[in-house]
């Protein structure tokens, strides 16, 4: 018999959600859930709105900064294309750039890894994803590919480093997108995760495993199930939170679900559906129609987890971009200094250098904000830095600019390089400021001669000092090769013009190749210079061909010498062309030391590669028989010079003993050229140091030579304005200027230099006063660094400090950096910080429109204290010729002894009213200055009777260099 039933239906809340309680007359109680869909599309849209605001905020901080996502696709699967289009659209919608990197199906694993490396190294790319599956004809390990993506750009969160972080609860990396989206969806339901029982069906490294870890770190009790799990439905029925990512259509039925559970369905599976136009429809891993009858919240498919995956990908990319921008805009680097353990008394420089273990140069590069693509390592301790850094940081405000010079030195040197390094170690390692030292590359001439290297000394050095003082990265050798190629081309051209008639000479210069001939680009430039508006070699008249082919160089007016980076006195004058093959066309010439080459000065003064090219092309190497200048471009060699110098354009990154950054680049001599490291190195350093950082660079010798040229030549060429000048002084040098006995390298110091002698010191203070006055004439604060030596006394130091302050110094401090490293230069660092914060009204010593003689007089009277200028008749004639040629608008680069303010190295102190004799003058058109010669200035030093060569050896057992300092 059938018994009719009466039902009582009333709404209640279960697990916080609406449901219907149905009670029959027999007392049976049913609860039918009305599950709430978790609308991933709406939630993702809200997240993307927030990301759009974040991108706008990032760009307001740096208008040129745009977050960028690179999506790598192998092959052309349509399902992958659908997903990629979604990601590209989402990126565009929030204001990001997205690059679709399409790679063909025939790409190999090695080639794919190479493409990923390029993206890893690109500063413009902040996030990288590799679309799976890889549609390749070749076998490719997808795990190796995802691991190849840099952990800092792995916005998919699939790199093992990021996965490992998630596993141990370190959520500072990138969380895989789908798992992150799942947790976000659960949180939007309002159901607390803490203390809940969570079951995850699926253990893939993309979804199942990471979502289990995330739920665990949200304090749920998590069970992970998989295809081998027994009694799966019994386990899923225990779940307050159920995440299904098993990849099987509608595997989880309504009966598997605990009433009121939150269900996250990560599956997306096509199944047959004749009612659809495509014949298919998409379903999840959960039977949705059944789940909504039991669960409190369920994600639909599609429209649930999928949109959240894309949103989390965008979120990770914006996070990656934000982290990069924060690294770029951080006030200080995350630099980890190296600890010093000074020994007293300090051992030799080489022993100190070898006692320190330098950082891997890639680590230092990363600390100061460089990207791998911008760093070309030469071993573990030095690296070339790409000029592309300047493009990347073009909107970055530059740091403070400091020049370090000295008083008139003794032949031993007063520790200018050592002070530079001590200052930067103090600023960076002890005061926590971003700080660079920019130094010249030392020549091998002094290294094997008598002066020694230029790596600093004691506990303020560049390391490894052997590499610094020897070949380094080969820049000087590149200059040598380029210089000598130009010399070889010039002499060959003279020979060929002397031995050939116009017709054959022209035909050889513009030969037929496969029946046609054409001018090279550099030859077209020569035609333009000659005023010949033709591009067809066969169309030139005989007269035009002769003008084009003949440079007609006057062998007696050749200005270009060959060079070698060694001291070799026998090359000061040589005769070339003595072989019978040269047919008697000999001429006298000479060698210079490599660092005296005009090419070295051009590398130091170029603002970019194009500027360097123009300067190289403009170098005047000789004059023709009519008195017209002949340039490197006329000889057709400009492009070849650029090729030889290509790697030398880039500065070399090294480090100090305390692990602070040093940029080494170029090495023009200060008594012959302008004596400063490169503009490019300084500019890169000032950008990397950032607005509140410091860049200290060295000028050769005293303020009268190196500092004046730094201000009037280098700063004029670069447009950079210095904030402070540091002048290094020693008790020893000032006593010499007070009338002390001669100081000779290799000889013991006289007693007056090792005993207190205030009277002698007082007489020599005039030299310090002159150098302070020189700095003040450029209207920059002048800080005096008194480089402490072991025999100095407190009274001597106090006398110098008092005099300096009374004579216009901003500050005068005692420095003990040689013995203590940066800790011994903290007072100097503080003084420099204060000086850079003080007002600087930098000005040049002279305007360029002054005539050559007036500019020379301004330098001689203001910087040296001269009264009159005396010129030889030959110099007077040359000045007139230079003026006619327009060279009078160039700055002046005085070639003068460094051992005296006068032209006589024997005269010490600070004499005034003397006559300065100019006995020669030449022009370096490419470098961009006129060089008056004061006295006999040799461009090729010689070796002494006992050079350092005697002490230098290679330990064949250890491979270490012995006897080098």
């Amino acid at each position: 018999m059938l018994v009719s039933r009466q039902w009582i239906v009333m709404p209640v809340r279960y697990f916080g959600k609406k449901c219907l309680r149905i009670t029959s007359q027999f007392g049976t109680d049913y609860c039918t859930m009305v599950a709430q869909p978790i609308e991933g599309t709406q939630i993702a849209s809200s997240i993307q709105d927030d990301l759009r605001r974040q991108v706008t905020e990032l760009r307001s901080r740096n208008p040129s900064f745009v977050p960028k996502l690179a999506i790598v696709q192998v092959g052309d699967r349509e399902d992958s294309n659908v997903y990629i289009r979604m990601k590209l659209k989402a990126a565009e919608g929030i204001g990001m750039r997205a690059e679709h990197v399409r790679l063909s199906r025939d790409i190999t694993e090695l080639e794919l890894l190479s493409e990923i490396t390029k993206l890893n190294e690109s500063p413009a790319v902040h996030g990288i994803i590799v679309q799976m599956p890889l549609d390749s004809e070749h076998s490719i390990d997808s795990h190796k590919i995802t691991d190849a993506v840099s952990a800092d750009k792995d916005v998919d969160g699939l790199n093992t480093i990021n996965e490992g972080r998630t596993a141990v609860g370190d959520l500072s990396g990138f969380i895989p997108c789908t798992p992150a989206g799942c947790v976000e969806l659960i949180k939007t339901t309002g159901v607390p995760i803490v203390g809940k029982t969570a079951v995850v069906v699926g253990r893939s490294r993309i979804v199942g495993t990471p979502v289990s870890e995330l739920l665990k770190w949200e304090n749920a009790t998590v069970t992970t199930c998989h295809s081998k799990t027994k009694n799966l439905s019994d386990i899923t029925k225990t779940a307050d939170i159920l995440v299904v990512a098993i990849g099987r259509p509608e595997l989880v039925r309504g009966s598997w679900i605990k009433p009121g559970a939150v269900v996250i369905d990560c599956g997306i599976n096509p199944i047959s559906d004749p009612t659809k136009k495509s014949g298919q429809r998409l379903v999840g891993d959960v039977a949705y129609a059944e789940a909504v009858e039991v669960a409190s919240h369920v994600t639909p498919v599609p429209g649930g987890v999928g949109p959240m995956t894309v949103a989390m990908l965008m979120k990770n990319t914006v996070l990656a971009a934000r982290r990069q921008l924060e690294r770029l805009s951080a006030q200080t680097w995350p630099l980890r200094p190296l600890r010093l353990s000074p020994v007293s008394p300090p051992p030799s420089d080489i022993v100190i250098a070898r006692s320190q273990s330098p950082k891997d140069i890639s680590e230092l590069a990363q600390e100061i904000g460089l990207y791998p693509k911008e760093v070309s390592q030469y071993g573990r301790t030095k690296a070339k830095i790409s000029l592309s850094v300047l493009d990347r940081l073009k909107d970055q405000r530059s740091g403070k600019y400091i020049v370090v010079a000295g008083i008139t030195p003794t032949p031993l040197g007063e520790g200018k390089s050592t002070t530079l390094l001590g200052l930067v170690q103090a600023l960076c390692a002890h005061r926590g400021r971003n700080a660079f030292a920019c130094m010249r590359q030392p020549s091998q001439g002094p290294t094997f001669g008598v002066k020694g290297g230029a790596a600093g000394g004691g506990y303020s050095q560049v390391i490894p000092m052997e590499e610094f003082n020897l070949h380094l990265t080969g820049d000087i050798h590149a200059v040598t090769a380029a210089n000598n190629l130009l010399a070889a081309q010039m002499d060959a051209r003279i020979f060929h013009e002397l031995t050939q008639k116009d017709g054959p000479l022209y035909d050889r210069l513009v030969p037929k190749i496969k029946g046609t001939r054409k001018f090279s680009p550099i030859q077209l430039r020569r035609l333009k210079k000659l005023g010949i508006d033709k591009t067809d070699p066969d169309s030139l008249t005989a007269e035009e061909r002769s003008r084009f082919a003949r440079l007609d160089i006057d062998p007696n007016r050749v200005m270009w010498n060959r060079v070698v980076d060694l001291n070799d006195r026998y090359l000061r004058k040589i005769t070339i062309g003595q072989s019978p093959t040269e047919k008697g066309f000999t001429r006298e010439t000479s060698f210079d030391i490599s660092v005296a080459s005009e090419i070295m000065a051009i590398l130091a003064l170029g603002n970019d590669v194009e500027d360097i090219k123009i300067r190289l092309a403009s170098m005047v190497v000789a004059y023709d028989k009519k008195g017209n200048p002949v340039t490197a471009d006329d000889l057709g060699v400009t492009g070849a010079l650029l090729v030889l110098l290509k790697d030398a354009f880039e500065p070399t990154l090294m480090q100090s003993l305390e692990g602070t950054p040093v940029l080494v680049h170029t090495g023009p001599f200060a008594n012959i050229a302008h004596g400063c490291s490169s503009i490019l190195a300084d500019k890169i350093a000032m950008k990397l140091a950032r607005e509140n950082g410091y860049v200290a660079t060295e000028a050769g010798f005293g303020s009268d030579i190196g500092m004046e040229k730094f201000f009037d030549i280098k700063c004029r060429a670069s447009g950079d304005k210095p904030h402070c000048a540091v002048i290094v002084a020693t008790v020893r040098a000032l006593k010499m200027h007070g009338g002390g006995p001669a100081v000779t390298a290799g000889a013991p110091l006289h007693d007056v230099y090792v005993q207190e002698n205030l009277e002698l010191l007082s007489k020599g203070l005039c030299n310090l006063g002159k150098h302070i006055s020189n700095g003040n004439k450029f209207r920059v604060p002048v800080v005096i660094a008194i480089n402490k030596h072991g025999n100095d006394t407190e009274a001597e130091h106090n006398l110098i400090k008092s005099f300096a302050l009374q004579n216009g110094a901003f500050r005068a401090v005692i420095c003990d950096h040689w013995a203590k490293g940066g800790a011994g230069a903290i007072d100097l660092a503080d003084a420099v910080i204060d000086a850079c914060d003080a007002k600087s009204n930098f000005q040049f010593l002279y305007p360029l429109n002054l005539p050559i003689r007036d500019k020379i007089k301004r330098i001689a009277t203001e910087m040296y204290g001269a009264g009159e200028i005396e010129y030889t008749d030959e110099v007077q004639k040359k000045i007139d010729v230079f003026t006619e040629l327009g060279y009078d608008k160039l700055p002046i680069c005085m070639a003068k002894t460094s051992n005296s303010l006068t032209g006589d190295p024997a005269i010490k102190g600070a004499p005034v009213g003397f006559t300065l004799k100019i006995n020669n003058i030449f022009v370096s058109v490419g470098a961009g200055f006129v060089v008056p010669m004061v006295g006999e200035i040799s461009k090729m030093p010689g070796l002494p009777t006992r050079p350092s060569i005697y002490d230098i050896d290679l330990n064949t057992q250890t491979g270490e260099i012995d006897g080098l300092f």
Side-chain angles (χ1 to χ4, degrees), residues 887-902:
Y887 303 152
D888 58 320
K889 300 301 186 291
L890 297 175
I892 301 298
C893 183
M894 300 286 279
K896 180 184 77 70
T897 178
S898 60
N899 295 324
S900 174
L901 287 167
T902 74

Side-chain angles (χ1 to χ4, degrees), residues 620-828:
V620 175
V621 297
Y623 291 91
D624 66 18
K625 292 175 182 176
K626 294 180 181 178
N628 300 311
V630 178
T631 67
D633 222 43
D634 292 327
L635 286 163
V637 76
T638 305
L641 299 182
L642 280 172
V643 169
L644 283 173
L645 296 168
K646 179 175 68 70
D647 294 334
F649 298 151
E650 300 177 338
T652 300
L653 177 67
M654 297 188 75
Q655 63 192 286
S656 72
L657 274 169
E658 297 190 57
T660 64
V662 179
L663 279 183
V664 186
H665 201 208
T666 72
F669 266 22
N671 59 344
I672 297 167
H674 70 293
C676 301
S677 65
S678 76
I679 285 173
L680 284 170
D682 290 358
K683 285 185 178 296
I684 288 173
M686 283 192 285
K687 291 295 186 183
L688 289 171
R690 305 167 194 172
E691 184 177 1
N692 295 318
Y694 298 84
V695 173
T697 190
E698 185 180 359
F701 300 118
S703 70
D704 55 319
I705 300 181
M707 190 180 76
E708 183 273 321
K709 294 173 183 177
F710 171 83
F711 289 142
D712 281 323
I713 297 175
K714 183 177 179 181
C715 291
R716 204 188 297 264
S718 69
D720 296 317
K721 293 185 178 181
H723 295 78
C724 168
V726 174
I727 294 179
V728 181
T730 62
V731 171
R732 178 182 65 196
L734 292 172
K735 285 180 176 178
M736 180 192 71
H737 288 295
V743 176
T744 306
L749 287 172
H750 191 278
D751 287 348
V752 299
Y753 295 112
V754 296
Q755 298 172 2
E756 184 177 289
N757 191 323
L758 296 178
E759 181 182 359
L760 189 64
L761 176 62
S762 180
K763 290 178 180 178
L765 288 171
C766 58
N767 187 267
L768 175 61
K770 179 58 180 167
H771 289 286
I772 296 172
S773 171
N774 285 354
N776 286 335
K777 285 172 182 174
F778 292 94
R779 296 190 179 181
V780 296
V782 176
V783 173
I784 301 303
I786 304 167
N787 188 12
K788 180 181 179 180
H789 286 193
N791 296 305
D792 299 350
T793 68
E794 185 177 355
E796 289 172 331
H797 288 161
N798 289 337
L799 180 60
I800 297 172
K801 287 174 66 176
S802 176
F803 177 88
L805 294 174
Q806 291 171 12
N807 285 268
F810 177 85
R811 192 84 53 84
V813 296
I814 311 301
C815 305
D816 199 14
H817 46 273
W818 182 80
K820 298 179 180 177
I826 290 176
D827 289 345
L828 176 59

Side-chain angles (χ1 to χ4, degrees), residues 256-327:
W256 293 26
I257 301 170
K258 179 180 180 179
V262 176
V263 179
I264 306 296
D265 186 353
C266 301
I268 183 163
N269 311 284
I271 63 172
S272 177
D273 187 345
T275 66
K276 300 291 184 181
K277 185 176 180 181
S278 64
Q280 291 183 327
R281 63 185 174 91
L282 296 176
V283 298
D285 293 350
V286 176
Y288 183 79
E290 298 178 19
V292 295
E293 298 294 331
V294 184
S296 62
H297 298 81
V298 184
T299 54
V301 176
V305 173
M308 287 298 292
T309 299
V310 176
M312 293 299 105
L313 174 63
M314 299 301 116
K315 185 176 181 179
N316 279 348
T317 306
V318 173
L319 176 60
R322 180 180 293 280
R323 286 174 175 172
Q324 177 179 305
L325 185 59
E326 287 172 350
R327 286 196 299 269

Side-chain angles (χ1 to χ4, degrees), residues 38-48 184-185 188-189 308 311:
I38 307 175
E39 297 293 351
T41 302
Q42 294 178 11
I43 299 167
S45 178
S46 176
I47 291 171
Q48 289 172 345
E184 191 69 24
L185 288 172
T188 62
T189 67
M308 287 298 292

Side-chain angles (χ1 to χ4, degrees), residues 486 521-523 525-526 529 551 560 598-599 602-603 608-622 629-642 645 649 887 924-928:
L486 177 51
I522 201 167
Q523 289 177 323
R525 289 205 298 269
R526 173 157 172 77
K529 179 179 177 180
L551 299 178
W560 196 259
E598 184 178 352
I599 292 175
I602 286 172
L603 282 182
D608 52 44
V609 175
E610 186 61 29
D611 185 26
I612 291 171
K613 180 177 182 179
I614 292 169
R615 289 173 179 269
L616 291 171
S618 303
M619 291 187 299
V620 175
V621 297
V630 178
T631 67
D633 222 43
D634 292 327
L635 286 163
V637 76
T638 305
L641 299 182
L642 280 172
L645 296 168
F649 298 151
Y887 303 152
S924 295
V925 179

